[in-house]
Amino acid sequence: MSLTLAPVKCDDKRDEQQHKSAWLQFIKSVATFKGDLTSLTAPPFLLAPQSIVEYSTYWAEHPSLLISPAREECAEKRALRVLQWFLSTLKHQHASKDEDGKRKKLKPLNPFLGEIFLGKWLDEAGTTHLVTEQVSHHPPATAFKIWNEAHGVKLEGHVAPKAYFTSTINIERRGYSILHIDKYDEDHWITMPKAHVEGIVTFQIAPELSGVSYIRSSSGYTSRINYSSKGWLKGKSNSFTATTYREDDESNPLYILEGRWSDSYTIKNGKGKLLDTVDLSSLRKTPLQVAPVESQHPLESRRAWKHVVDAIHANDVFAVGHEKSKIENAQRMLRKQEKEAGQTWKTRYFTQVEEDPIAERLSIKSKAAGDSHESMIWKFDEFKYNKIMEYQQNGIKSPTHARFDSGVGFLEETEE
């Protein structure tokens, strides 16, 4: 028998003090927790109405910038265009406020194993496709592929976030991405910077980037991006300095980009001459097109989390916890069944491989570059994808999983 719950809503002003108190209690628990913080359950009022699998959309919010390097014949200038595209992906991914100026929720939903997110962008760049899948749960890892066939550009990667506490919440994004340009048979190896949370004591919570990330091309050019934040006496938040240089000649940069990844930056040549000023706030996102929830596969993120997201939008903290627990408990049941049957989850679009020759050749082998040599490497499986597309075109349901994929259906059946 299903349980009907009366909504318990929160008024923002009335409960602000309660939220601050709950936040401080959460931080206390975080400070004493041993292990990966991504496994911790955050207070419902902190939850964002989207899963981490949707974060791959930030890579292609501006498809024209993603495909721009394919239109440049000069390898040096292509490296610059790749860097500019990369910088354009940082603002909305890490901003503390949305485009309407409303403060964003801090904690996205933790994806369940096998969760997928599919979509496409349609604009002057043509059609740009997106496939994302949660390929591992312990440790968490998300794999994605974005491609534009008309311009021969594809981006493929995987990210395994690991959160820990020192004086604040820190997040490492292990993994890497590779941007491939067909026309020049060129690859660009890309890493992500570390992130941390500022304002945890004042409750003015805002993500900030730190450390170093790299973009290294098979054409012999490397971009190094150094991130910094506002200090006690000087500096500005969201600051960066990036240099593009020929391989093994870092002391003689070809381009120097400097500014704020949330606002604007300048581009200078190696001699310091100003070439351009880029206003990131003037960029307009191309809306992502996603199938209606009722038409989505049970594994698709927005269908699986619909009741949780509805409760978050309704500010119904009790329903958030209840609906979220239903999915989590159902997933535990499925993992238990798999273990008893001696089975493991079969990924839908990606396959784990032991090595990646392109990443091995281009990766910068240093601690600053991140964990480039990792035990889990996931690659997009064209055979799997084409088979699923063939089934869909012929009106055949995928035989990949013969049971309730998200686990929610399984749980509901046991309640009846």
Side-chain angles (χ1 to χ4, degrees):
M1 180 177 180
S2 298
L3 178 65
T4 302
L5 300 170
V8 181
K9 298 184 178 181
C10 294
D11 179 81
D12 289 341
K13 294 182 179 179
R14 182 187 66 190
D15 294 325
E16 182 179 358
Q17 192 60 41
Q18 292 180 355
H19 286 180
K20 286 183 179 180
S21 177
W23 166 250
L24 292 176
Q25 286 297 117
F26 175 64
I27 290 301
K28 288 180 181 178
S29 66
V30 164
T32 57
F33 183 78
K34 303 298 182 182
D36 187 355
L37 296 181
T38 56
S39 62
L40 276 182
T41 299
F45 72 88
L46 286 176
L47 293 176
Q50 65 176 174
S51 167
I52 289 177
V53 297
E54 291 200 33
Y55 274 48
S56 55
T57 62
Y58 292 115
W59 290 106
E61 289 181 321
H62 313 103
S64 59
L65 292 180
L66 173 67
I67 61 94
S68 175
R71 295 171 168 170
E72 176 55 62
E73 294 185 357
C74 173
E76 176 185 313
K77 293 181 179 178
R78 278 200 305 276
L80 175 61
R81 289 198 181 192
V82 171
L83 173 58
Q84 288 189 263
W85 154 74
F86 174 79
L87 293 173
S88 75
T89 70
L90 300 176
K91 179 179 179 179
H92 293 294
Q93 181 175 175
H94 303 99
S96 58
K97 295 182 179 180
D98 60 23
E99 291 180 300
D100 298 323
K102 185 178 180 181
R103 184 165 291 277
K104 294 166 63 175
K105 299 291 185 69
L106 174 70
K107 179 69 171 64
L109 297 167
N110 284 337
F112 56 82
L113 180 60
E115 182 176 336
I116 57 178
F117 186 69
L118 313 174
K120 60 184 178 181
W121 295 267
L122 297 174
D123 62 4
E124 64 274 9
T127 303
T128 305
H129 300 271
L130 164 70
V131 173
T132 307
E133 181 175 4
Q134 188 70 9
V135 292
S136 175
H137 190 63
H138 294 296
T142 308
F144 65 90
K145 182 176 180 180
I146 297 170
W147 71 97
N148 184 301
E149 293 181 359
H151 295 276
V153 174
K154 56 187 176 184
L155 176 72
E156 185 177 342
H158 54 278
V159 59
K162 183 178 181 180
Y164 60 94
F165 187 87
T166 51
S167 57
T168 186
I169 298 174
N170 301 275
I171 304 170
E172 290 183 9
R173 273 83 63 90
R174 299 180 178 182
Y176 59 86
S177 304
I178 293 178
L179 178 70
H180 180 81
I181 304 172
D182 288 346
K183 184 177 180 179
Y184 305 104
D185 192 21
E186 184 177 77
D187 295 299
H188 297 258
W189 174 81
I190 304 163
T191 63
M192 288 293 291
K194 294 180 180 179
H196 64 271
V197 178
E198 297 198 338
I200 62 173
V201 176
T202 61
F203 202 56
Q204 298 299 312
I205 306 165
E208 184 59 276
L209 303 181
S210 60
V212 180
S213 69
Y214 289 90
I215 305 174
R216 191 181 185 195
S217 80
S218 57
S219 295
Y221 296 91
T222 299
S223 292
R224 173 187 170 115
I225 308 105
N226 292 272
Y227 306 85
S228 60
S229 57
K230 184 178 181 180
W232 286 102
L233 300 176
K234 62 179 181 178
K236 294 182 178 181
S237 60
N238 311 154
S239 296
F240 77 91
T241 299
T243 56
T244 299
Y245 51 90
R246 293 186 182 87
E247 194 169 330
D248 300 325
D249 195 15
E250 187 173 359
S251 60
N252 294 300
L254 301 167
Y255 301 103
I256 302 171
L257 287 65
E258 191 171 19
R260 302 177 67 206
W261 49 261
S262 60
D263 187 13
S264 63
Y265 63 88
T266 58
I267 304 175
K268 298 178 181 179
N269 64 17
K271 297 180 180 180
K273 179 183 178 181
L274 180 65
L275 301 178
D276 197 5
T277 298
V278 178
D279 180 9
L280 292 168
S281 61
S282 66
L283 295 176
R284 291 294 173 260
K285 297 191 297 182
T286 297
L288 178 71
Q289 296 190 14
V290 180
V293 170
E294 61 273 14
S295 301
Q296 293 181 10
H297 187 280
L299 282 173
E300 289 196 59
S301 183
R302 293 185 183 180
R303 176 174 174 178
W305 292 104
K306 182 182 185 304
H307 297 304
V308 177
V309 171
D310 287 347
I312 291 174
H313 286 310
N315 217 10
D316 188 343
V317 294
F318 192 78
V320 169
H322 176 73
E323 296 293 343
K324 186 167 174 286
S325 294
K326 284 173 65 177
I327 295 178
E328 293 168 345
N329 291 335
Q331 281 288 299
R332 294 187 186 100
M333 289 184 186
L334 292 178
R335 299 290 84 78
K336 181 180 179 181
Q337 286 183 343
E338 289 172 346
K339 185 176 181 180
E340 291 174 350
Q343 299 174 343
T344 57
W345 179 264
K346 295 180 180 179
T347 51
R348 188 172 175 85
Y349 294 109
F350 294 82
T351 297
Q352 187 174 0
V353 298
E354 294 184 358
E355 59 182 4
D356 183 346
I358 296 174
E360 179 66 28
R361 184 173 71 253
L362 295 178
S363 63
I364 295 174
K365 300 169 180 63
S366 71
K367 292 182 179 180
D371 188 8
S372 57
H373 298 283
E374 52 188 313
S375 59
M376 289 201 305
I377 302 174
W378 296 88
K379 303 298 290 184
F380 187 72
D381 195 316
E382 296 283 353
F383 177 80
K384 287 182 179 179
Y385 177 77
N386 291 333
K387 204 69 177 176
I388 291 172
M389 296 302 293
E390 180 183 336
Y391 285 136
Q392 291 178 350
Q393 290 173 2
N394 295 329
I396 304 173
K397 291 186 177 180
S398 170
T400 307
H401 302 290
R403 49 181 166 71
F404 292 99
D405 287 309
S406 67
V408 180
F410 174 84
L411 182 64
E412 289 175 345
E413 186 176 81
T414 62
E415 291 177 341
E416 292 178 354

